[in-house]
Amino acid sequence: MKLIRTFAITSKEFYDYLENALMEEIAKNTNKKPKRTSIKKGFTYENKNAKSKIVIDEYVRGHSYQSTVRSATSFIHVRYETEETEEGLKISFEQVMSGDEDIPNKNVLYRTWYNWITFGRMSHTLYDMRDAIIKIRNGESPQNTSMSYDSHKRLKKYLTKKVEEQE
C-alpha cells in the first residue's frame, strides 16, 4: 500500500528525524552508538526483541529511504520518497508485507478490513512523524506514543482501587 501526504516540514527536518530515530533504534539493539554515516545502503542490524534482521536497501538523504525487515516467518519493505513542493514536503510512504500478494484473492470483506487497518497504521506513522518533527522545531520534546511501564502501574492501581470499592 502507498500513501502520499504533503506536510509543512522541510526535507532536512524529515531526514534529521529519520536518521535520529534509526540511530536510536540501532543503538538500542546493538548496544553501540552508530555514526550518522552508518546509515547507508547495505547497513544491517538485528532487532533481538522482534527476532528480525533489518537491512537498509537504499538511502539518499533528501530523496529516499528503503529498508527490509525480515523475520523467520515474514518480511516488510518500507520506502519513503520525498519531494520539496510549494505546499511543503511531499512524502510517498510505501509498505509491502509478505502475504500482500494473496490479498486480491481474499473475499471483499477481508480485503476491505485489511486495507483499512493497513491504511490507518500507515497514516498514524506519517502523522506521528510530522507531529514529532514540529515539536522538535518548536523546541519541545517529542513524546513516545507507546504506554510506559509507569502508565500500566497507575492503571493497575486505579483498577485495583475500583474493584476494592465494589467489594
Side-chain angles (χ1 to χ4, degrees):
M1 179 173 276
K2 185 174 189 175
L3 289 179
I4 300 172
R5 297 287 182 269
T6 302
F7 296 132
I9 60 175
T10 67
S11 178
K12 180 186 177 331
E13 289 173 321
F14 179 80
Y15 285 97
D16 284 349
Y17 176 81
L18 183 63
E19 287 177 357
N20 288 335
L22 284 168
M23 288 175 29
E24 188 176 306
E25 182 181 338
I26 292 166
K28 184 175 80 175
N29 286 291
T30 64
N31 294 323
K32 296 177 185 173
K33 187 175 180 180
K35 295 180 181 177
R36 198 170 288 273
T37 55
S38 300
I39 300 172
K40 60 185 176 184
K41 181 179 179 174
F43 184 81
T44 303
Y45 65 98
E46 288 187 33
N47 183 327
K48 292 175 181 133
N49 290 335
K51 296 182 180 167
S52 60
K53 180 179 178 181
I54 297 94
V55 177
I56 297 176
D57 302 316
E58 177 185 333
Y59 185 62
V60 179
R61 184 178 168 88
H63 182 264
S64 61
Y65 168 83
Q66 180 176 314
S67 66
T68 302
V69 180
R70 291 192 183 278
S71 71
T73 58
S74 65
F75 71 85
I76 302 172
H77 294 293
V78 174
R79 179 170 185 78
Y80 295 101
E81 285 186 357
T82 58
E83 177 187 343
E84 294 272 353
T85 67
E86 288 182 14
E87 295 82 30
L89 186 66
K90 179 179 171 184
I91 303 170
S92 298
F93 174 30
E94 187 172 10
Q95 181 174 296
V96 178
M97 299 182 343
S98 55
D100 280 357
E101 63 277 359
D102 296 332
I103 298 302
N105 300 331
K106 304 288 185 185
N107 71 45
V108 69
L109 243 63
Y110 181 85
R111 283 193 316 261
T112 302
W113 175 82
Y114 179 84
N115 289 335
W116 181 67
I117 295 296
T118 302
F119 174 80
R121 188 177 61 240
M122 290 174 69
S123 290
H124 280 289
T125 298
L126 280 178
Y127 283 96
D128 287 348
M129 289 173 80
R130 182 212 51 194
D131 293 346
I133 290 167
I134 290 171
K135 283 185 177 190
I136 291 168
R137 178 195 298 161
N138 294 333
E140 300 173 37
S141 176
Q143 293 182 352
N144 189 349
T145 56
S146 63
M147 288 188 85
S148 68
Y149 173 74
D150 290 338
S151 297
H152 290 292
K153 210 163 113 178
R154 287 193 304 267
L155 179 60
K156 182 178 178 183
K157 184 177 178 181
Y158 172 77
L159 292 173
T160 303
K161 182 179 175 186
K162 287 293 183 187
V163 168
E164 288 172 355
E165 287 175 0
Q166 288 181 350
E167 294 174 348

